[in-house]
């Protein structure tokens, strides 16, 4: 008797929804990026749990999760660099005020 | 039926993850939010251990708790003075965001409880994947041997041209380009000439 796959998927759905809420509701751009990190982590739970319950011996899920982690690191670095650059020029990190490219 | 040890650990970890993630997106002070984010990452590492992916748990600790959270905390501290406690931390449409997130969660749970949800009717297309109860790796092989086999399989798969060598190299190139690009973006304009 052990943990059913659906528990992991439900937890992943909850984490993803919380991340979506964070991305949509935060005013601070760093907070938005933290929401994106939560969503990427939810995806990783899905990948690894499907790997664990899938075919024995294959390492596809692990390889995908590693690639997702690497891309999350790249995304965090570029996003935070953009935020610092915007802050240096415009003295704000509020997403609503960063509207230079908006009609 | 009585819950066994792994189920109890799972429920406790899931509670930790959900509570920390919720605090992370709702708490006012961003430094506190970053600490809650680190707590979520730690819970994820426990989850990876539960899933027999020990290597990934290690990577989670090193990359997420070690690197990404430090980046986030640095960014918070470099942009600190702007919105400390004066203004609202959520925008005016936060209840719409809560509605979208709630509907998404409930819809996902609904899809999950459909009888064919976990196979999407494609059980014959995916080898080794069926709606019947699956064999638990931890039950028919002892955990240490399983982890060693998993790790060496992963290493072979990542270094063989037939599997994931090309994606691995591409990810490395992407990471290098992203780092150079972010240094260039974040550099002070006065140093440039």
């Amino acid at each position: 008797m052990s943990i059913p796959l659906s528990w992991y998927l439900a937890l992943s759905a909850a984490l993803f929804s919380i991340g979506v809420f964070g991305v949509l509701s935060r005013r601070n751009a760093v907070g938005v990026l933290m929401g994106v990190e939560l969503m990427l982590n939810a995806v990783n739970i899905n990948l690894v749990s499907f790997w664990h319950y899938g075919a024995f011996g294959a390492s596809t899920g692990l390889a995908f999760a590693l690639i997702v982690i690497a891309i999350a690191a790249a995304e965090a670095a570029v996003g935070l660099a953009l935020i610092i650059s915007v802050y240096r020029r415009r003295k704000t990190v509020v997403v609503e005020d960063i509207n230079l490219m908006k009609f | 039926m009585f819950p066994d040890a792994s189920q109890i650990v799972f429920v406790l970890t899931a509670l930790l993850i959900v509570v920390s993630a919720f605090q992370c997106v709702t708490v006012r002070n961003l430094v506190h939010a970053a600490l809650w984010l680190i707590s979520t990452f730690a819970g994820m590492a426990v989850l990876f251990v539960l899933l027999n992916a020990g290597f990934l748990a290690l990577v989670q600790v090193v990359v997420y708790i070690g690197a990404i959270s430090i980046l986030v905390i640095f960014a918070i501290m470099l942009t600190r003075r702007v919105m400390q406690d004066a203004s609202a931390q959520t925008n005016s449409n936060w209840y719409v965001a809560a509605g979208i997130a709630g509907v998404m969660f409930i819809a996902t749970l609904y899809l999950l409880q459909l009888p064919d949800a976990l196979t999407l009717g494609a059980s014959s297309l995916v080898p080794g994947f069926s709606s019947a109860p699956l064999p638990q790796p931890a039950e028919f092989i002892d955990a240490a041997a399983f982890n060693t086999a998993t790790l060496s399989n992963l290493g072979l798969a990542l270094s063989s041209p037939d599997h994931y060598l090309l994606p691995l190299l591409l990810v490395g190139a992407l990471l290098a380009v992203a780092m150079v690009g972010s240094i260039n973006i974040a550099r002070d304009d006065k140093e440039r000439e």
Side-chain angles (χ1 to χ4, degrees), chain A residues 46-67:
Chain A
N46 258 2
L47 287 174
V48 180
S49 55
F50 274 120
W51 163 79
H52 183 253
Y53 290 93
F56 177 68
S59 45
T60 316
L62 284 184
F64 263 84
L66 276 179
I67 289 172

Side-chain angles (χ1 to χ4, degrees), chain A residues 17 41 53 55 67 94:
Chain A
S17 304
N41 265 294
Y53 290 93
I67 289 172
V94 180

